[in-house]
Amino acid sequence: MATIRDVSRLAGVSVATVSRVINRSGYVKEETREAVLAAMRALDYEPSVIARGLAGKNTATIALIIPDILNPFFPEVARAIEDQANKFNYTVILCNSDNDPEKERKYIQVLKNKRIDGIIIASYTIEAPQILELQREGVPVVAVDRAFGSHPILSFICNNREGARMAARHLIERGCRKIAHISGPPVMSAKERYQGYVDVCGSESRFDPGLVAEGNFTIEGGYAATLELFARHPDIDGIFAGNDLMAVGALKALYQLGKSVPRDVKIVGFDDIALARMVVPEITTVRQPVYEIGRQAMKHLIKLINGEKIGQKTMRLDVELVVRRSSGEAADRV
Amino acid sequence: MATIRDVSRLAGVSVATVSRVINRSGYVKEETREAVLAAMRALDYEPSVIARGLAGKNTATIALIIPDILNPFFPEVARAIEDQANKFNYTVILCNSDNDPEKERKYIQVLKNKRIDGIIIASYTIEAPQILELQREGVPVVAVDRAFGSHPILSFICNNREGARMAARHLIERGCRKIAHISGPPVMSAKERYQGYVDVCGSESRFDPGLVAEGNFTIEGGYAATLELFARHPDIDGIFAGNDLMAVGALKALYQLGKSVPRDVKIVGFDDIALARMVVPEITTVRQPVYEIGRQAMKHLIKLINGEKIGQKTMRLDVELVVRRSSGEAADRV
DNA sequence: TACCTATGTGTAACCGGTTACACATCCCAT
DNA sequence: ATGGGATGTGTAACCGGTTACACATAGGTA
């Protein structure tokens, strides 16, 4: 690998000049610039990221901290971010935090030590003070799937409450009279979705707090919650699950109970992960613009890295109801 | 952040001595060692990974190159590797290559420039020469889910052919008389699985090359292949899909065709990704020890990084048949 | 006693970039 | 003519580690 001194020697200039050409900084005569570029090409030279990192420049590396890549929601986030990062010649370090604050802290420590340029974080556990501390230390941070109230933290999140309302309204329109909700764990997005459900169904005459059960955002949780709900209310005819995984769990439970979806019970999920289209019947769901969230997160992280002053607050993206078979009217063999 | 010179000053020794303590290299008097350690603790010192990287040492970073994290097989690989890497204080850069050789080449270029310590690669497209070239340049490489014949390349892969035989035999045992195969794209693992299927079913009197269709390892592919197969042979009663995704596609197609699984048709997949347990009925499949493959890959990559001389060849791990509902005998409402 | 080896530590160069500062021109306004 | 800003380039220090080499001392052996 050629070094900057090799280039400077070949071009007959000093390393400072080569550096100026590379960084488009300071003054360089056009002729000199071309000579340097020619030398760089001739030597197939590429500046060492490590060396520039040490010299205080960017390392062209960002970190993505997520709870668990095995949760099918996160590969979609990761892919969006990786694509976007790639476009800007950034490289992504993947960190699974398992929602373990200790693991998170350790990771952040290591990442700072590696002088990564910024962090995109999707975590239920991290709190505002920790992020503000990072910012103070000069590490740009963008949050996704999580908001931090009025703290000056840039975060991209979807309109959970409105999405939940759309889901509930859709079930009502499809003729459901008794609509249950499988909620996520007590984290922001789950709470907002619950709120949306209550906005629409809370005033119904048939409403009952027993129509809500917690499913922890997992298939198993959705399965168990569904069994629990039907034990309490055998006449439930609509389920709004707080995410698609739990909707799939509900589907399995209903199959177990001998109920037909959508004939006997209609289901709506949230997120629109690929899994929603993999099962039979395909699941009606509220589509989060995950790819767009990833794109925006990365785009803005780069702005922060480049020192642009941008307003740091919660950005809400619109959701969209995607109607599929699980809430369809047609008789169904399942 | 404290530097090595801060530590050396506080401990009253030279930076060389501090470095010796950090790296357990050379001679250091026990007393001195303790003084240095105390100073390090007092200053909350951690050596800069960037600086050691520049000075020719490891960067404690490895890269994982996979085709696409959206393919549900790869999050499982990624998680195993990340866990293991973490345990040894390594950090993982995630690279989606989309099986695009050009993208792969570019990534490898960037990774070399970042002086990563090694690469774990799962790619259908990369060929032996490129890996051997990397090795020559001093970059340790381990392949997973892919083998390179007799080339001195360390790779971890499962026993595809034997697994396929187990799947086919299982279908026969469950009473299937006409067993079709949905094959993957023309890559090594798919070919081996196809071979295993032929080993068992090729000699059956009812065997016919028309019982094989290609499904490209995707749900859509499995779906289309199934429709195609049944158009040719409406009496197929068993399907061995080359992976779980295609098995799920087959499931959807059979539902479409009004066939009941497992009553009319039994299905066996391959891999045992989480999805196999998410659908109804759950899919019988040949379990690849993905986590173990990841563990071994990382473990051996570290050995290579540390310069240990280890035999570099293909390591095959055993598979296991996991019987679930899709090949069960009970009548089924699906 | 003289010499050798093992032990212990410091100095300074080096990894490959960036950049503050110095210095030299050139051109223009006064 | 002259002072001053814009332009152009080089020298050398610096980022924070590693390590070759030099040097000092201690203990053992011939």
Side-chain angles (χ1 to χ4, degrees), chain B residues 164-173 176-181 193-209 211-212 237-240:
Chain B
R165 287 197 200 114
M166 288 161 66
R169 270 191 234 113
H170 173 70
L171 285 170
I172 290 176
E173 275 164 26
C176 298
R177 324 295 304 278
K178 198 150 184 181
I179 300 172
H181 175 53
R193 291 170 197 181
Y194 167 77
Q195 269 309 319
Y197 159 78
V198 170
D199 290 346
V200 174
C201 298
S203 56
E204 298 261 308
S205 59
R206 289 174 204 74
F207 184 73
D208 176 328
L211 284 172
V212 178
D237 57 0
I239 295 179
F240 165 47

Side-chain angles (χ1 to χ4, degrees), chain A residues 161-182:
Chain A
R161 191 157 174 175
E162 180 53 26
R165 286 196 201 115
M166 289 161 66
R169 270 190 233 114
H170 173 70
L171 286 170
I172 290 175
E173 275 163 25
R174 287 287 157 116
C176 298
R177 325 293 304 279
K178 198 150 183 181
I179 300 171
H181 175 54
I182 306 178

